Amino acid sequence: MSTVIHPAREPRLDARHGIRPDPRTRQRRDEVRRSREELLEALFSSLSRRDQRVRGEHYLRGLLRADGRKSVRNIALSLGLPDEEQRLHHFISGSTWDWAPMRAAHAGFLERARPPQAWVLHAVTIPKAGEHTVGVDRFADTRAGRTVSGQRAFAAWYASAGFSAPVNWRLFMPRHWMEDAELRTRAEIPPALSYEPVEQCGPAAVLEAARDWRLPPRPVLMDLRGGTDWQSAHRFLAAGLPVLARTSATDRFVVDAPAQPRTPVPATAASVLDALRSARREVTWADPGNRGLTHTSWVTAARVRLPDDRLPSDGPQGTHRPLLLLGEWHPGQRSPAQIWVTDLIEAAPDELVRMTKLTRRVALDQNLGAGRTGTRDFVGRSFCGWHRHMTLASAAHTMRLLGSAAA
């Protein structure tokens, strides 16, 4: 089965128009066309019925073409197929196809075509009005500094310096949604699905993909600021996935030095790094949002351990995993702009700093890329519909970036 999403028809550039075709441009377009065909073949190989594959192609093509909100109606209209609206709605919210094989195929394609450097765990707040959209709740958004109404979702992104895409999603379902029989029935929540605390949703999205899809181990970039329980990082370490986590200046660590006292006193990350200001070194890194633009930071690192009172309660007692505390200063600033901690203790600090910029790559692609393919646009009561929509929206994001890479 070969399914092709055709790009918008462009004027022919040939001798009749006085413009000589560029062989390199044609080659890049051919490469993109082949990559898109390979992705589509992989995505829809898990759909056994031909009509499902047709609906899948239509929905994916509509996500790329529709202007404004990527509703089912707008998708159908963008295709010039208004009569398809009901069929597309059933394909997303009323069908029974499993989204996990499609997500695994998407990740497998990226492994071959755009090998990632790391996982980036990215939290997304999706504002929603009303109370009927699946998973909607009112909660305090600590980053925005206000109470919002909407969904909380977590995406596991495959990321490299020049390309990133979400490959797995977790939608946080508040406890009242999971314990109210009427809400569960209305949202068509699978009976086997139980309540999962919000702090476990993000790690679960990465762990499910890394373990169940048998993908090569990659470092996990995550944010542990704001009092997040370190149990989440421990879950990655226990699974054999290195962690590079952003942390707060007030988080406490024990300096791992031979001359430390018998009962070491924990110190804040800021004070540990401030004592090493004279040992900082200059590091240049490329700006993910501006090709060719580079920036300079000043970086230093220290070997540390977690204090006893911050060790995971379910971990082996009496053991202290060695960690590297990494501080990054922008020129002219007294305090570190970012502080990270990692178990990649043998890695060079300059390479670690460059790896942290993958979070900027993902934030940029989420705001300017994935948002254009509908990751914030699903409005419906179906839990399974949300996951199917997000699966195809993620694939559409990769399709769009493949085309941008050739432009």
Side-chain angles (χ1 to χ4, degrees), residues 314-329:
D314 60 345
Q317 297 302 310
T319 62
H320 296 79
R321 181 186 292 268
L323 302 169
L324 194 68
L325 187 67
L326 187 75
E328 177 190 3
W329 285 259

Side-chain angles (χ1 to χ4, degrees), residues 52-87:
Q52 288 182 325
R53 295 194 293 271
V54 171
R55 298 288 104 73
E57 178 186 349
H58 283 172
Y59 200 86
L60 187 56
R61 183 148 47 98
L63 288 170
L64 291 166
R65 288 188 174 184
D67 293 326
R69 191 164 63 90
K70 313 296 183 179
S71 65
V72 175
R73 171 171 293 182
N74 284 345
I75 287 172
L77 291 175
S78 72
L79 298 170
L81 301 171
D83 293 342
E84 278 285 276
E85 180 182 347
Q86 192 58 38
R87 297 186 186 93

